[in-house]
């Protein structure tokens, strides 16, 4: 029996820390997989990115299959964990071991210190993710970044997974830019042009991990 899903309100928009994203209307899907389900967009820096582990748990509980993933910043790390394991419990357990104070503090603004400060974060990611190439993950994953030299939006679907995660997290003042290739240096997508998120899925789900503050109680 075919199951129909009603997407609940908090799956509305991407965290405001990143550029505008859009899905191209009337575009032909570029099918890369016969997997059924939704395409989940996971973004956010620090604690906001880690929140996606809980979102994955809800989707798993409701038996909503994930066809593919699009991710950036800390969300790229969480998405990689899930794309590798296809298990929300494993993803949450590994993600919970990330020390935000250790990896997202003391800005260095492109100094020599910033060049070395990325190493602990890189070592941590390596200790949690065994897959080396993005294309070898169990769930198709696209990691978003920006070309520092041109400002072009970059969608990474093949290549070194750890480097792709670092590229998407390369926020000036925290982590240095990543040399992706001879002619391409990458930084976080928060500093680039808008992305066209045309994907091989009829349902594209965005998550607002910041949420909204509750209204103050009414006075009598």
């Amino acid at each position: 029996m075919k199951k129909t899903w009603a997407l609940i309100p908090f799956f509305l928009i991407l965290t405001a820390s990143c550029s505008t994203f859009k899905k191209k209307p009337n575009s032909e899907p570029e099918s890369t997989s016969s997997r059924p389900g939704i395409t989940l967009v996971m973004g956010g820096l620090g604690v906001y990115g880690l929140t996606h582990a809980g979102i994955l748990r809800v989707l798993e509980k409701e038996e909503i299959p994930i066809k593919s993933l699009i991710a950036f910043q800390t969300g790229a790390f969480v998405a990689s964990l899930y794309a590798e394991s296809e298990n929300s419990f494993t993803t949450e357990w590994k993600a919970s071991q990330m020390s935000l104070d250790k990896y997202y503090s003391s800005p260095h603004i492109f100094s020599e210190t910033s060049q070395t400060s990325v190493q602990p974060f890189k070592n941590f990611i390596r200790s949690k993710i065994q897959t080396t190439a993005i294309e070898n993950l169990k769930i198709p994953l696209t990691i978003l970044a920006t070309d520092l030299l041109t400002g072009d939006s970059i969608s990474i679907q093949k290549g070194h997974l750890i480097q792709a995660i670092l590229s998407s997290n390369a926020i000036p003042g925290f982590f240095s830019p990543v040399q992706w290739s001879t002619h391409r240096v990458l930084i976080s997508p928060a500093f680039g042009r808008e992305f066209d998120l045309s994907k091989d899925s009829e349902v594209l789900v965005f998550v607002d991990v910041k949420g909204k503050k509750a209204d103050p109680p009414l006075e009598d």
Side-chain angles (χ1 to χ4, degrees):
M1 182 176 179
K2 188 174 182 179
K3 192 170 183 178
T4 303
W5 309 306
L7 299 182
I8 53 183
F10 62 83
F11 293 124
L12 294 179
I13 61 173
L14 219 50
T15 175
S17 65
C18 196
S19 310
T20 303
F21 297 90
K22 65 179 181 178
K23 187 173 182 181
K24 185 188 298 182
N26 303 320
S27 61
E28 291 296 326
E30 299 177 2
S31 180
T32 58
S33 171
S34 59
R35 297 171 62 96
I38 65 171
T39 292
L40 180 64
V41 183
M42 304 168 63
L45 184 66
V47 66
Y48 296 118
L50 295 180
T51 305
H52 287 287
I55 303 298
L56 291 166
R57 178 75 62 82
V58 172
L59 294 174
E60 209 171 72
K61 181 179 179 181
E62 296 299 322
E63 299 182 358
I64 300 176
I66 297 175
K67 181 186 184 75
S68 58
L69 296 163
I70 302 173
F72 63 95
Q73 294 179 342
T74 312
F77 167 60
V78 179
S80 298
L81 291 175
Y82 189 74
E84 180 179 70
S85 66
E86 293 186 301
N87 186 297
S88 65
F89 288 93
T90 299
T91 299
E92 184 174 13
W93 177 70
K94 289 185 176 182
S96 67
Q97 298 173 48
M98 182 176 180
S99 173
L100 297 178
D101 290 338
K102 183 177 181 180
Y103 304 124
Y104 291 98
S105 61
S106 302
H108 304 294
I109 314 299
F110 292 109
S111 66
E112 290 184 5
T113 310
S114 70
Q115 296 286 341
T116 59
S117 65
V118 72
Q119 195 60 46
F121 183 45
K122 186 175 183 178
N123 291 340
F124 172 77
I125 296 173
R126 279 178 171 169
S127 71
K128 302 303 174 188
I129 299 175
Q130 315 310 316
T131 305
T132 56
I134 301 175
E135 61 268 28
N136 292 336
L137 292 166
K138 295 178 182 178
I139 299 176
L141 170 63
T142 299
I143 294 179
L144 307 181
T146 294
D147 188 314
L148 176 63
L149 304 179
T150 65
D152 291 340
S153 303
I154 306 298
S155 298
I156 306 172
Q157 297 176 322
K158 292 183 179 180
H160 199 285
L161 177 58
I162 305 299
Q163 288 295 95
I165 296 173
L166 293 176
S167 299
S168 196
N169 278 274
I171 297 176
F174 288 94
F175 299 132
S176 57
V178 174
Q179 188 79 44
W180 181 257
S181 63
T182 305
H183 304 291
R184 179 156 284 173
V185 179
L186 301 182
I187 59 173
S188 166
F191 302 94
R193 303 187 180 102
E194 66 179 20
F195 283 79
D196 174 13
L197 298 185
S198 300
K199 289 294 291 181
D200 56 338
S201 176
E202 295 181 359
V203 183
L204 185 63
V205 178
F206 298 78
V207 182
D208 178 9
V209 292
K210 285 190 174 181
K212 297 180 179 179
K213 293 183 179 180
D215 294 330
L218 298 175
E219 297 182 359
D220 293 332

